[in-house]
Amino acid sequence: MLDIWAIRSTDVLIYISVSCVLLNGVSMSFIPQPPSSALVTEPISMRVPDACRFTGISRSTLYLLISRGEIEIVKVGAATLVLTESLRELIERHRARGGKPGSDTYPPHKPI
């Protein structure tokens, strides 16, 4: 049996369809499955640019949320690591209130 599969850097499994011709001339296609030991794992933390991509928010908004204590970070040397669980909790808080403005919305912009 031929197993062909790949893992992207985002830990998403990509299956490659394989076509083969058997000795008797019969053609068949199949999508191999990864070994059962292949687990897709989520990082505990990520750097700021990855956190922005993960949530879809801008870098300045992310730093605003960090300064307000809404997102938890860990400093390791010069690296700022954003905790993945903290990002999930932020999204869940906003999801729970239905995306409507609440007590944790950003301050309104002042006219110039």
Side-chain angles (χ1 to χ4, degrees):
M1 182 171 174
L2 177 65
D3 281 341
I4 299 176
W5 57 281
I7 299 179
R8 287 193 336 203
S9 62
T10 56
D11 294 331
V12 176
L13 292 177
I14 301 171
Y15 300 100
I16 302 168
S17 177
V18 176
S19 296
C20 60
V21 178
L22 301 177
L23 291 176
N24 61 4
V26 175
S27 178
M28 62 181 283
S29 293
F30 63 94
I31 300 175
Q33 298 297 312
S36 60
S37 63
L39 298 175
V40 177
T41 59
E42 183 175 85
I44 295 170
S45 64
M46 60 187 78
R47 292 181 179 254
V48 169
D50 296 324
C52 292
R53 280 190 295 274
F54 186 74
T55 58
I57 61 177
S58 70
R59 184 179 184 91
S60 58
T61 299
L62 181 70
Y63 278 115
L64 174 67
L65 293 168
I66 290 169
S67 70
R68 292 172 56 186
E70 294 186 43
I71 294 178
E72 189 177 354
I73 62 164
V74 175
K75 292 290 283 184
V76 178
T80 300
L81 300 176
V82 182
L83 300 182
T84 305
E85 184 60 28
S86 180
L87 295 173
R88 289 194 174 283
E89 290 170 359
L90 172 80
I91 299 301
E92 283 302 317
R93 282 194 306 271
H94 284 264
R95 183 179 182 204
R97 58 165 222 256
K100 298 175 186 169
S103 61
D104 60 347
T105 58
Y106 313 121
H109 294 288
K110 296 179 182 176
I112 298 176

